[in-house]
Structure formats: structure tokens, C-alpha cells
Amino acid sequence: MTSLAQTVSCIDGYDPDALHVDKARAAILACITPVSQAESVAVRDALGRVLAQEIVPAINVPSHDNSAMDGYAVRFSDLEKPLKEIGTALAGKPFSGKVGDGECVRVMTGAVMPAGTDTVVIQEVVKKEGGCIVVPPGQKRAQNVRYAGEDLQQGKPVLGNGKLLRPAELGLIASLGIGEVKVKRRLRVALFATGDELASIGTSLKDGEVYDSNRYTVHGMLSRLGVEIVDLGVVRDNPAKLEAAFRKASSADAIITTGGVSVGEADFIKQMMAKLGEVLFWKIAMRPGRPMAFGKIGNSYLFGLPGNPVAVMVTFYAFVRDALLHLSGRTDEAFPALQAVSAQNIRKVPGRTEYQRGVLFRERNQWQVRTTGQQGSGVLRSMSEANCFIVLEHERGNVQAGETVQVQLMEGLA
Ligand code: AMP
Ligand code: MG
């Protein structure tokens, strides 16, 4: 088996001590093999799951040519003369006869196009004269008709393996009369927070302690991804306790830890990791979130995130989210970045990617963005006040007000 170290060494420009964000992302994705096991679920229960089969329509949708409007089904070549209304077709109640020269049929939206007709005239423009209708000029052949297979064509694959199932896909699958689909199995992700200074909710704070908030943000971020969560609580900075926690966590598909990867703390963790699996320790050229560990313990992928609360969230969104989506078998495109105009000067040094917390707002018909103010990696309030990240690229220097910057929306991402 290829080691992680071998896999990542093939990435051009890989430098564990000053790792470009894009290289770190590439390194992680290169090391991850998506899950392959699948299960069958009812369509309604498949929301948010990842398709594990190809959907090839066995029927056309719609199955018949039908009217897109309420009106009259006519023969386009007859339109000059008054047309005799010879019957009605409703959705689900077709007209059984054939429409001949000088005839028409009253149709409702969704009604099968009566035999012999090719065009629908909307009811609002038609003049009724006795049992006949008179159609004004200006109609187009084939107007207001929906054709069989216009939505889904029999035999033409419509959803691929790896597709995320959103509400639209559930409806689409149902429109084919399919009641059950194969989806990838759900990921199991274990998490724990490390730190001697961490107090749990329900206890009173002793001198120098902080309440553990990371486990709550990580739990929330994982919940949004729809994975099964195994919460292993707070683990003290003690080699034996940490080792036991890692062993327990390694039955999951992935392990997320917070804290303990900064330079001062990482040494004993490194030694222990070497016993348990293969873990790479990185210094990433980013802010916040410089130190991070990535590796494998047994079959479980480890993401050792920094301890600072904002760094936890930023590294999760920058690396872990995409990694877990890839692991879950999803094949969709990365979350898009948008462009906005910076409403202020922003200080930035070239040589690292910054994820400033921003507020995107619309003013004078233009999308603009400002920072939330204080950007310390311990100021979790900056995440709460933000609706986006302002992603300042690696090479970029100071930003002047009025310049365009990249933003990544939190809604949908988070
Ligand atoms: P570390 O990376 O373990 O050195 O932690 C960096 C900073 O993050 C320290 O100030 C920690 O107190 C803080 N921190 C670590 N873990 C947590 C946590 N679970 N909840 C809140 N703050 C934390
Ligand atoms: Mg710590």
C-alpha cells in the first residue's frame, strides 16, 4: 500500500512547513478513497444522501404530448376558419376521438393532445360563436404543447453515481415512478476536543479554564453534512488518554480533533501517532489556522484541527468539508466563490491565504463586503456576525476600498 507521505510527495510544490492552502487541499483529496458501500432507501428518505447508482429513465416524462395551457387543441392548418368544438380533454381524462378538418377540442393543462391536433390556443384569446370558436391571427404552429420526453427521455441517463440528492432530484426520481434508490452509506465521524484547560458545560470554571466550545461548533458543522456523529467528549493532554481516545475513534470513517497540534504541544502527539498510524503535521500558509494534522489511523482519516475556535471552523470549511464530501462519494463541483467590492481597506500580507469573516451587503445596487472587525482566531463572535468569508488569496497584499475580493457565502456552505 502507498503511504500518505508517498502520495503527498507527488504533489508539485508540497512543503509541509509552509503549505499552500491549495496544495493542502489537493494532498488531502489525493489520499482519500471514497466509500463504496451502498444501501437502498425510500425516495423520501434519500434527501441529502449520495446516489450510488445511475438513473436511466425507463419511460418518457411526460409520457405523452400534452397541453401546456388551458385552451383549445387545434390543427394549425385550420386556423383561418371557425372551429367546431367536438369534446373536452382534461389532465388524466383524454379525448378518445380523432380531430378532423374544421374541428377542435377544449383542453386543460396537462391533457393529452387529442389525435390529429398539433397546436394549443389559449382560452383568453378565443371568441366563442355558438358551438364554434374563432381564433385571432398571430398564432404559431406547435405553441403551448409539451412533448413526450421533453423533461426526461427514455434511455437517456439523467442522474449519475455520486450525485447529491436534493429536493429536485427526489421529485425527478419520483416522476419516473421509482420508489427506492441506492445511496452510499452514511459516513460515521468521531470527534473529540483536547486540552487540560477545557471545562465542560455544567461545571464551574476554575482558574485558567475555558468552556469547551469547539465540540459544539464541530458537532454543528458535521450535522449540516448529514453524517453520523460519535462524540467522544473532552480528552486531557495525556498520552495514555489520547491514545485510548484515538483507538476508540478509529472505527469511524473519519476522526476530527481540536487542539494539541500547535508546535509546543504536538511533540508527544507525534510520537503517539507514529505508533497508531500515519499522520502528517503541517504548517499551512493561512490565517487563521496554521497548524493542522492529517493522517490515517487504521482505515480512519484523521483531521487534527487547531484549538483556537475560529481556526477550527476555518480549517473545517477550507479542508474537512470537501474531504468528507469526497469521502462520502459525492462528485459535485466545489462550492462556488463569488466576487464583491470591498467597502474598506483590508490589511493583508502576501504569502498566506486569509479567511476574514465578512458581511456581504447590497448598497447602491452593488454587492459589497466589509469585515466583522476584530479578526483574532479566538474571537468566535466574528464567525457569528459574519455571513461570508472574505478569501484573500495567497499572493495578494493589502486591499484598497473599491477593489474586488472573493467571498464565500456561509449560507449553503455551513
Ligand atoms: P491549542 O491549539 O490546543 O494550543 O489551543 C489553542 C487555543 O484554543 C487555546 O487558547 C485554547 O484554550 C483554545 N481552545 C482549545 N480547545 C478549545 C475548545 N475545545 N474550546 C474552546 N477553546 C479551545
Ligand atoms: Mg491544547
Side-chain angles (χ1 to χ4, degrees), residues 329-348:
R330 260 169 75 169
T331 51
D332 40 320
E333 297 284 311
F335 201 72
L338 308 173
Q339 308 276 323
V341 172
S342 181
Q344 66 187 86
N345 296 342
I346 306 175
R347 287 178 57 180
K348 159 78 169 65

Side-chain angles (χ1 to χ4, degrees), residues 193-194 197-198 210-214 258-260 262 265 307-309:
T194 71
E197 77 282 30
L198 301 182
V210 294
Y211 283 117
D212 159 32
S213 61
N214 288 344
T258 70
S262 53
E265 287 190 304
N308 277 307

Side-chain angles (χ1 to χ4, degrees), residues 117-130:
T117 64
D118 56 13
T119 300
V120 171
V121 179
I122 60 170
Q123 59 191 13
E124 289 81 355
V125 301
V126 160
K127 252 200 249 128
K128 291 198 136 199
E129 283 173 8

Side-chain angles (χ1 to χ4, degrees), residues 21 69 81 87 91 107 132 137 151 154 158 172 185 210 223 231 292 347 353 375 388 390 393-394 396 399:
V21 164
M69 302 293 277
K81 46 198 170 192
V107 286
C132 287
D151 186 0
Q154 184 179 4
V158 56
L172 201 148
R185 72 169 172 80
V210 294
S223 297
D231 186 346
M292 186 178 144
R347 287 178 57 180
T353 306
Q375 296 287 308
C388 68
I390 306 171
E393 305 85 343
H394 189 90
R396 189 157 190 164
V399 175

